[in-house]
Amino acid sequence: MKLVLFDIDGTLLNTGAFGVKSLEKAVENITGKKPKYDLTKFIGMSDKHNFAYMYSCATGKKPSAKQLEGVKEEYLSLLPSELAALKKNKKYKAASGVENFIKTLLSFPNVKVALATGNVEEASKIKLAPAGLDKYFVTGGFGWDGAKRTELLKAAVKRASKVFKHKFTPDEVYVIGDTHLDVIAAKENGYHNAVIKEAGLADKERLLRAAAEVEADTFKDEELLLIWLDLRQDPKGVEKGSYIMPASAIEHVFFSRTGIDEQRLKMFRIKKYSDLESGKIW
């Protein structure tokens, strides 16, 4: 059995920083102060982190649990209006080829899909519904499961194991995201990992150093992704620089295109980055 976990923003959807305007307005409505923030602080993070960060940008203080819940409720009330504006301006779009890819996955009886997103569950449904993608996901890990992505990934696997009545081992879990943070969180849990580069939101240098098993341009690179999932055979070989599977014979390709030291190549053989002598990847 295999479990494929999908991130939403920058992965299933290419809608930029969808939700930030609603969060900014929610915090302003609650605190009476307009927050000044760094947009890059939101990329790849969970809503639990983002809500607290935006609140602190407005007030200079960390929110209490009750205040955080208040921000969440106000945010969810404003999100549909932001979605309507995106659709009106034709800036709402699903990732290229994503629905066909999900349908292909579900054609295999031993494959299940779930979400692993920094969005709270209610926001996930709001965001995915216009693209018709919400119907494919009955469970997942969400932004209220923890401030760190490692926590929401664990929550996703735990819920999926219950829903699909199968205890998924780390080696049966495949995480698809778009930033180095998705890769790091997956590796910290011992899960397989891949990135879709279409959205272009990721820090390119950090993405290279995070050493994802696979980097695909879009979900239209279906053959590459299915080979990674061990659902298709690879009789012809794969394009250099895109397929970096642990235990493969092409680790030198990664080394040649990054120029990183040999210690960093241990990333291909470890479960956690902390197992490196330096304990860090940059």
Side-chain angles (χ1 to χ4, degrees):
M1 191 76 77
K2 300 177 190 291
L3 176 65
V4 185
L5 300 177
F6 289 85
D7 174 46
I8 293 180
D9 297 305
T11 305
L12 291 175
L13 299 178
N14 292 331
T15 51
F18 175 26
V20 175
K21 288 183 180 179
S22 295
L23 178 54
E24 179 184 357
K25 184 62 176 176
V27 169
E28 185 177 1
N29 288 350
I30 289 173
T31 65
K33 300 177 181 179
K34 190 174 182 65
K36 295 181 180 180
Y37 56 90
D38 179 353
L39 187 59
T40 63
K41 299 291 185 182
F42 293 92
I43 297 174
M45 305 302 288
S46 73
D47 274 353
K48 181 165 266 190
H49 166 276
N50 292 342
F51 290 8
Y53 169 69
M54 187 71 86
Y55 186 93
S56 66
C57 286
T59 66
K61 300 177 182 179
K62 292 183 179 180
S64 65
K66 185 177 180 179
Q67 288 168 329
L68 207 57
E69 283 291 338
V71 172
K72 175 184 173 183
E73 290 179 13
E74 184 69 10
Y75 166 76
L76 290 172
S77 73
L78 296 169
L79 193 60
S81 294
E82 185 178 346
L83 172 59
L86 272 179
K87 291 173 65 179
K88 182 178 180 180
N89 295 324
K90 298 182 179 180
K91 292 183 178 180
Y92 177 94
K93 57 182 178 179
S96 303
V98 65
E99 187 165 18
N100 286 337
F101 178 66
I102 293 172
K103 288 179 178 178
T104 298
L105 289 181
L106 294 178
S107 70
F108 294 90
N110 65 327
V111 177
K112 304 298 180 183
V113 300
L115 294 171
T117 172
N119 289 283
V120 295
E121 187 171 3
E122 300 92 332
S124 299
K125 294 176 181 177
I126 291 171
K127 288 186 174 187
L128 291 175
L133 297 177
D134 56 320
K135 63 179 176 287
Y136 297 109
F137 301 100
V138 298
T139 188
F142 304 95
W144 227 240
D145 288 319
K148 297 181 179 179
R149 296 197 74 87
T150 50
E151 296 168 344
L152 67 88
L153 287 179
K154 287 180 181 178
V157 174
K158 184 176 181 179
R159 291 195 186 104
S161 293
K162 185 176 181 179
V163 169
F164 299 122
K165 295 179 173 55
H166 174 82
K167 187 175 178 59
F168 291 98
T169 65
D171 198 49
E172 293 175 320
V173 180
Y174 295 76
V175 176
I176 301 180
D178 68 302
T179 76
H180 68 284
L181 295 172
D182 295 297
V183 178
I184 290 172
K187 289 195 175 189
E188 285 295 307
N189 285 320
Y191 305 153
H192 294 290
N193 46 89
V195 290
I196 303 298
K197 299 187 291 183
E198 182 179 15
L201 298 176
D203 181 308
K204 293 181 180 180
E205 181 180 351
R206 290 191 170 191
L207 190 58
L208 281 174
R209 287 184 173 274
E213 293 176 356
V214 165
E215 293 183 8
D217 290 327
T218 73
F219 284 103
K220 290 183 178 180
D221 294 332
E222 188 172 290
E223 196 72 14
L224 174 65
L225 292 167
L226 293 177
I227 291 170
W228 168 63
L229 285 157
D230 198 26
L231 297 172
R232 293 268 175 87
Q233 297 300 309
D234 178 23
K236 298 181 180 179
V238 294
E239 181 181 353
K240 290 184 178 181
S242 63
Y243 188 71
I244 313 171
M245 190 73 172
S248 76
I250 62 169
E251 292 174 356
H252 65 282
V253 175
F254 183 79
F255 182 83
S256 67
R257 73 190 178 100
T258 61
I260 60 176
D261 58 80
E262 290 191 15
Q263 186 199 60
R264 296 299 188 265
L265 288 179
K266 293 180 184 177
M267 289 183 223
F268 295 110
R269 302 296 183 193
I270 62 176
K271 290 293 184 183
K272 296 185 178 182
Y273 291 123
S274 57
D275 291 338
L276 290 168
E277 292 175 16
S278 65
K280 301 177 181 179
I281 62 170
W282 48 72

